[in-house]
Amino acid sequence: MKLTNKHFRIAEIMAAFFTGSQTEQDERDFEEWTKESDRHRAFVDRLLNPEEYEENRRALDKFQVEEAWSKMDKKIGDTKVRKLPSWKWGVRYAAVVLVLLSAGVYYWWNSEEVREEVPVLYQIAAGTTGARLTLGDGSVVDVLKDRAVELKEVDGTKIVTDSIGIDYSTQETVDTAEVMNTVQTLTGMEYMLTLSDGTRVFLNAETKLKFPTKFRKEERVVVLEGEAYFEVRKDATHPFIVKANDVDVKVLGTSFNLRSYSDENSIATTLVSGKVAVYAGENSEEIVPGEQAVYMKETGKMEVKPIDVTLYTAWHTGKFIFRNETLEEMMSYLSRWYGVKYRFIDEGAKKLQIGARLDRYNNMNPIIEMLKKTGLVNITQVDNMLYISSTE
């Protein structure tokens, strides 16, 4: 739900009611708003009922409400809103009302009669196999799981898709200019393709790979946006190069994972087997199996460190493994696969460190329950949005 000026106004009025400082205009505006919906009335009755005071107070302690009010107050912009009473509970109530209004919590946090109207939270389904293929002439084909398609490029390349992926390795081509194709996975999708040289590439969700239908040059060059796991076919005379934003990864024959999302602050190359060289501007590093090269976009610096490669490659075998990851990092990763949106109510929740081993192909609801059972966070699900706050 998008916050409007009316929401800020109602929060202000309710804080005034709680402290007994409401005006006649407050009472008129309040009455008009409660008449708009039975749910509005039930929500207000619950918050302002003296018998519910202790339960409401405990609920308020779950939110960083003074910080929330400060942030939300800035969103009002040019709208003039009367200064709230100085009594801290008035401010806290105004803030939490805004939080609850924005979360849509009043749809379930009110009377039993209203609660019965609310449907059970729906399952947040796991992703699936699928991708979008863009051919050399710009035409687009959606390739889905268990859907077989045969296509032919202008250079004679035969493109075959099946339940496993796309295969470019079996083909008869004519001697012509290099033809580029692009495979893109959307949110909640994964896909695998075999390039013309036999290299296999596993694409994670929200990933795009641009490549030639047949490698015709001295170097085998592909361009990546997102995350992919590569099993590169060895060819000493034709190095394989992956270009990912500011980083180039050069290999001969190896298995490695490369994560390079445009909305993340780093680009990480994780080596499983073989040997690769990672180039970023004037920086270059060679890494060996069990090492990871991380390039920081803001500083332009690159760090090489030993790691457990399974933490970064398990996704392509159907697992999520997190070890002392912040909840913010974990949610960023999960949201690409499950297509769920989320919002942190306070900064403390973002920084919580989580360790877990999860099945990638299950729906997300067990993960939500697991996080709740840690006792570290509260999670409220409203349709496809998760609202996360720390319990402290």
Side-chain angles (χ1 to χ4, degrees):
M1 175 181 294
K2 182 179 180 181
L3 283 175
T4 66
N5 290 335
K6 181 181 287 188
H7 291 136
F8 286 97
R9 174 66 177 144
I10 295 302
E12 176 192 22
I13 291 173
M14 292 187 70
F17 267 93
F18 194 77
T19 60
S21 61
Q22 72 272 19
T23 66
E24 291 183 3
Q25 185 62 49
D26 289 339
E27 293 176 354
R28 288 193 294 270
D29 292 346
F30 177 74
E31 183 179 1
E32 180 182 345
W33 184 74
T34 55
K35 288 180 178 179
E36 291 178 0
S37 167
D38 290 341
R39 285 171 172 164
H40 289 181
R41 181 72 257 176
F43 176 66
V44 169
D45 289 345
R46 179 65 178 266
L47 277 184
L48 298 184
N49 186 352
E51 296 180 2
E52 302 283 354
Y53 173 80
E54 283 300 321
E55 184 177 346
N56 290 343
R57 184 186 63 79
R58 288 192 294 270
L60 293 178
D61 288 340
K62 297 176 182 180
F63 297 91
Q64 299 285 342
V65 291
E66 289 167 343
E67 178 183 346
W69 172 258
S70 176
K71 291 181 179 179
M72 292 177 181
D73 188 39
K74 296 177 182 178
K75 296 181 180 180
I76 300 176
D78 296 331
T79 303
K80 303 298 182 183
V81 177
R82 173 170 50 80
K83 183 178 177 66
L84 288 172
S86 58
W87 192 33
K88 69 176 183 178
W89 276 103
V91 176
R92 288 174 66 81
Y93 254 82
V96 81
V97 169
L98 279 170
V99 171
L100 295 177
L101 284 170
S102 66
V105 173
Y106 65 93
Y107 279 99
W108 57 269
W109 190 37
N110 38 45
S111 68
E112 290 299 325
E113 180 180 356
V114 173
R115 232 179 249 161
E116 291 175 0
E117 300 175 2
V118 181
V120 176
L121 296 179
Y122 71 88
Q123 299 285 305
I124 301 177
T128 187
T129 300
R132 180 164 293 167
L133 171 64
T134 303
L135 302 174
D137 62 1
S139 58
V140 177
V141 179
D142 287 333
V143 288
L144 305 174
K145 183 179 180 180
D146 299 328
R147 178 186 174 189
V149 177
E150 285 194 10
L151 303 168
K152 196 169 186 178
E153 265 290 8
V154 294
D155 66 348
T157 299
K158 184 179 179 181
I159 305 170
V160 179
T161 76
D162 54 26
S163 60
I164 298 176
I166 303 177
D167 192 350
Y168 285 81
S169 62
T170 303
Q171 56 184 300
E172 294 180 4
T173 61
V174 297
D175 188 13
T176 184
E178 197 170 63
V179 176
M180 302 299 293
N181 279 191
T182 301
V183 172
Q184 179 180 6
T185 55
L186 308 181
T187 301
M189 285 185 176
E190 65 179 6
Y191 211 69
M192 190 276 286
L193 68 151
T194 303
L195 301 178
S196 63
D197 64 341
T199 292
R200 295 204 302 171
V201 187
F202 300 82
L203 305 181
N204 205 347
E206 298 182 14
T207 296
K208 182 187 295 185
L209 186 75
K210 187 175 182 179
F211 56 93
T213 57
K214 181 175 178 61
F215 293 110
R216 300 177 181 277
K217 300 179 180 179
E218 293 183 0
E219 295 177 333
R220 298 172 287 167
V221 180
V222 300
V223 180
L224 175 72
E225 296 178 25
E227 182 172 26
Y229 182 86
F230 292 83
E231 295 178 350
V232 179
R233 181 66 59 87
K234 188 173 183 179
D235 183 348
T237 60
H238 297 89
F240 192 92
I241 297 175
V242 184
K243 292 184 175 293
N245 293 311
D246 299 323
V247 169
D248 290 355
V249 178
K250 184 176 182 180
V251 304
L252 294 178
T254 186
S255 297
F256 66 99
N257 193 83
L258 181 55
R259 184 177 178 92
S260 177
Y261 286 105
S262 59
D263 60 350
E264 294 183 350
N265 297 324
S266 62
I267 300 174
T269 305
T270 305
L271 185 59
V272 177
S273 64
K275 187 176 182 180
V276 304
V278 182
Y279 301 89
E282 298 180 355
N283 300 320
S284 65
E285 297 284 352
E286 289 190 354
I287 58 175
V288 297
E291 289 186 336
Q292 181 182 74
V294 180
Y295 172 75
M296 302 305 298
K297 296 178 183 178
E298 291 184 1
T299 63
K301 295 182 179 180
M302 188 154 49
E303 176 188 2
V304 175
K305 57 184 179 181
I307 46 86
D308 179 353
V309 297
T310 59
L311 300 179
Y312 302 92
T313 62
W315 65 264
H316 94 279
T317 61
K319 299 292 181 182
F320 287 122
I321 302 178
F322 301 99
R323 183 177 297 168
N324 296 326
E325 300 289 338
T326 66
L327 187 54
E328 183 177 26
E329 293 170 333
M330 181 176 176
M331 290 305 301
S332 174
Y333 207 97
L334 294 176
S335 66
R336 298 184 190 278
W337 180 242
Y338 290 102
V340 69
K341 297 180 181 179
Y342 61 94
R343 182 177 300 167
F344 286 99
I345 302 300
D346 59 87
E347 291 296 318
K350 292 182 180 181
K351 298 176 182 178
L352 292 172
Q353 291 186 310
I354 302 293
R357 184 184 181 92
L358 309 169
D359 189 334
R360 178 177 169 91
Y361 299 118
N362 282 343
N363 70 69
M364 192 179 179
N365 296 71
I367 299 177
I368 297 172
E369 292 304 313
M370 178 274 293
L371 291 172
K372 288 180 180 179
K373 288 179 181 179
T374 65
L376 300 174
V377 293
N378 297 301
I379 301 178
T380 299
Q381 181 183 343
V382 182
D383 294 333
N384 200 37
M385 175 70 79
L386 302 178
Y387 294 87
I388 306 171
S389 64
S390 58
T391 55
E392 297 182 358

